[in-house]
Amino acid sequence: HYFIQSNLSMAVDAGELEQLLKIYYSRLFPYSPYIDWLSYGSKEYLAKREFCFTLNGDIYLRYKSFSNLDEFRKELRTVNPFKIDVGAVYNVKPKDHKAFKSFSAEEREVVFDIDMTDYDDVRHCCSDTSICADCWTFIKIAVKILDTALRTDFGFSNLLWVYSGRRGVHCWVADEMARKLNNSGRGAIADYLSLVVGGDQQAKKVSITGMLHPSIKRSVNIVSSYFEELQIKAQDFLSDPQKCDKVLSMFPAGSIQDQLKEWSVSHHDSKTKWNLLREAWFSYAKKRSINKDTALYEVVLQLCYPRLDVNVTKGLNHLLKSPFSVHPKTGRVCVPFLAKNVDSFDPFSVPTLGDIIKELDDWTGEDNTPDYAKTSLKPAVDLFKRFAKECKAESSEDNKENAMDW
């Protein structure tokens, strides 16, 4: 996986990035659907939205706000930020906040941040900022579980999934009901969706008590469809005694650990060891007339379930990197994608600024073609346009009934 890892970890020259961004903001950034989305049909709503621009050298310009598309476009082209973050909608225009005694966040999308580094205790192919095709499967599982839960359990429909540009994904829940939630409401959603709980020193991080909730059973079914591919084959998660002991510690203390000491040091492959482990647990559970499935569910969920940065979700005024921002370390564009297509979404083929500007220069088709449509950004921009249109029309019941499945 060395080649893929180096592709997403390489540093981009700041001077070159600065020049490419000038072209990007001048010719390729999707201004119109972007403003349609964040205004939700109201200029006043847009004017109270916070933007944060990060300049070369990690200089942060917070509490930027704009009354219309032209203001935003002019500022973006003038400032040429290396990164764009989007914040909350406040009670007053953020750019004027110092003139008011009361300045507080009132609304924003419910957001989720999934970062591959949070899986370092259960992935063995990569670590830190590196990713490869094998561990990207963790992200596929996360998208499927969270998207299904947000739609089925909470009834949300306007969800935008966005690649973060290097090692993760973000989700923006744009339904009006979601945007109006306070911190405790957001916290309740985050807690409901958080199953893996505990620090580095805690061996067992998933505990299922009482009757099995349908959402947990649904998550187990999703995880099970990837488990052999991800943990048994790609991560080879039982390949040495240390890994075996770690998995054994996820079972109830004092259950099967002693009888499997030789199993930990055996030379069987991970698939054989997993089958032997399951057999040992089933035998233990049967003798004691306890549910044989619960402990296994806890183990597979700890190994594969989404790792949420709950503080991002709970905080009403938390900043999150914007769709169509550019990752300053990789030069890749933060493009949206459909959750239902996550299995075919390839983060390693997401275009860089260099790619799309070369495509722009190499275009030989019709001159009246929009610039973005001359590049590999076209599918992402077209998807984003449809999403922004649905957000703008959300107040219409007829449009709700005919809304696309995002």
Side-chain angles (χ1 to χ4, degrees):
H1 307 123
Y2 174 78
F3 174 72
I4 292 174
Q5 290 179 23
S6 65
N7 264 351
L8 292 189
S9 301
M10 63 184 180
V12 176
D13 178 75
E16 180 185 1
L17 181 61
E18 190 167 15
Q19 295 305 310
L20 293 174
L21 283 167
K22 288 180 180 179
I23 302 170
Y24 177 66
Y25 293 136
S26 175
R27 299 181 61 183
L28 293 165
F29 190 88
Y31 290 101
S32 184
Y34 188 84
I35 295 300
D36 281 348
W37 165 43
L38 291 175
S39 60
Y40 296 94
S42 167
K43 290 183 179 180
E44 183 180 359
Y45 199 85
L46 173 68
K48 294 180 179 179
R49 169 80 70 169
E50 181 194 359
F51 295 86
C52 175
F53 294 162
T54 304
L55 309 185
N56 187 12
D58 285 338
I59 299 168
Y60 298 92
L61 304 179
R62 286 205 64 176
Y63 304 118
K64 308 285 286 183
S65 59
F66 308 96
S67 297
N68 54 52
L69 184 154
D70 290 338
E71 277 188 18
F72 176 75
R73 179 166 49 202
K74 181 179 179 181
E75 184 74 359
L76 206 59
R77 291 175 174 177
T78 301
V79 174
N80 200 43
F82 272 41
K83 183 163 76 87
I84 306 166
D85 287 290
V86 177
V89 176
Y90 285 80
N91 60 323
V92 297
K93 295 179 180 179
K95 66 180 180 181
D96 300 330
H97 75 279
K98 290 183 179 180
F100 296 87
K101 290 183 179 180
S102 173
F103 179 58
S104 59
E106 294 188 329
E107 293 188 20
R108 77 153 305 160
E109 297 78 9
V110 173
V111 294
F112 297 89
D113 181 8
I114 310 295
D115 192 304
M116 192 70 81
T117 56
D118 293 326
Y119 290 87
D120 279 356
D121 65 320
V122 291
R123 65 171 178 153
H124 309 292
C125 52
C126 307
S127 62
D128 198 26
T129 60
S130 295
I131 69 168
C132 69
D134 286 342
C135 56
W136 186 255
T137 302
F138 285 111
I139 302 296
K140 295 179 182 179
I141 292 171
V143 171
K144 287 196 172 183
I145 287 176
L146 295 178
D147 190 80
T148 304
L150 289 166
R151 295 180 189 281
T152 303
D153 300 343
F154 293 97
F156 297 131
S157 59
N158 284 338
L159 277 62
L160 184 71
W161 286 95
V162 183
Y163 173 51
S164 70
R166 177 157 63 173
R167 59 178 186 265
V169 294
H170 301 150
C171 178
W172 301 73
V173 184
D175 299 62
E176 183 177 8
M177 178 173 60
R179 287 183 275 124
K180 292 184 178 298
L181 286 172
N182 58 20
N183 283 342
S184 60
R186 293 161 195 269
I189 294 175
D191 291 341
Y192 176 86
L193 294 170
S194 297
L195 289 183
V196 183
V197 180
D200 293 339
Q201 303 306 313
Q202 186 169 328
K204 183 176 173 58
K205 298 181 182 180
V206 176
S207 295
I208 300 172
T209 57
M211 290 184 63
L212 191 65
H213 193 281
S215 68
I216 295 178
K217 178 62 176 174
R218 185 178 62 224
S219 296
V220 169
N221 289 340
I222 292 172
V223 167
S224 296
S225 66
Y226 290 95
F227 190 78
E228 182 167 352
E229 168 199 340
L230 175 59
Q231 285 293 354
I232 294 176
K233 293 180 180 178
Q235 302 305 319
D236 201 9
F237 78 124
L238 298 173
S239 60
D240 61 51
Q242 185 178 3
K243 293 177 184 176
C244 289
D245 290 342
K246 185 174 182 177
V247 172
L248 270 181
S249 69
M250 298 177 192
F251 284 85
S255 57
I256 57 174
Q257 285 82 2
D258 287 344
Q259 73 183 77
L260 289 179
K261 286 181 179 179
E262 291 187 8
W263 166 88
S264 293
V265 297
S266 68
H267 296 291
H268 296 304
D269 60 26
S270 287
K271 185 171 184 178
T272 302
K273 281 186 174 180
W274 177 240
N275 288 334
L276 291 170
L277 175 61
R278 291 170 73 245
E279 289 173 10
W281 171 253
F282 289 156
S283 175
Y284 176 89
K286 185 177 181 180
K287 288 177 182 177
R288 288 156 182 81
S289 300
I290 60 176
N291 189 308
K292 67 181 178 63
D293 294 326
T294 302
L296 282 176
Y297 289 168
E298 291 173 340
V299 171
V300 299
L301 289 171
Q302 182 165 335
L303 291 169
C304 303
Y305 190 83
R307 309 296 178 96
L308 299 178
D309 186 338
V310 294
N311 292 326
V312 173
T313 303
K314 290 181 176 182
L316 183 60
N317 60 349
H318 205 292
L319 294 170
L320 189 65
K321 191 191 307 174
S322 170
F324 294 98
S325 183
V326 174
H327 196 293
K329 300 295 185 183
T330 65
R332 293 186 186 271
V333 183
C334 300
V335 294
F337 61 92
L338 291 176
K340 64 184 179 182
N341 295 337
V342 68
D343 282 331
S344 59
F345 178 78
D346 180 7
F348 313 112
S349 65
V350 169
T352 65
L353 277 189
D355 294 334
I356 59 176
I357 289 169
K358 184 178 187 303
E359 292 166 355
L360 200 57
D361 291 340
D362 293 345
W363 176 258
T364 57
E366 295 290 332
D367 289 340
N368 61 353
T369 302
D371 281 341
Y372 82 87
K374 300 173 184 176
T375 75
S376 49
L377 271 186
K378 184 180 185 303
V381 173
D382 287 344
L383 183 157
F384 186 60
K385 282 183 172 182
R386 296 192 297 272
F387 169 76
K389 184 178 179 181
E390 292 295 341
C391 289
K392 191 174 182 180
E394 186 187 3
S395 60
S396 166
E397 290 299 325
D398 289 338
N399 281 320
K400 283 183 183 178
E401 291 175 8
N402 296 312
M404 290 187 64
D405 178 13
W406 289 101

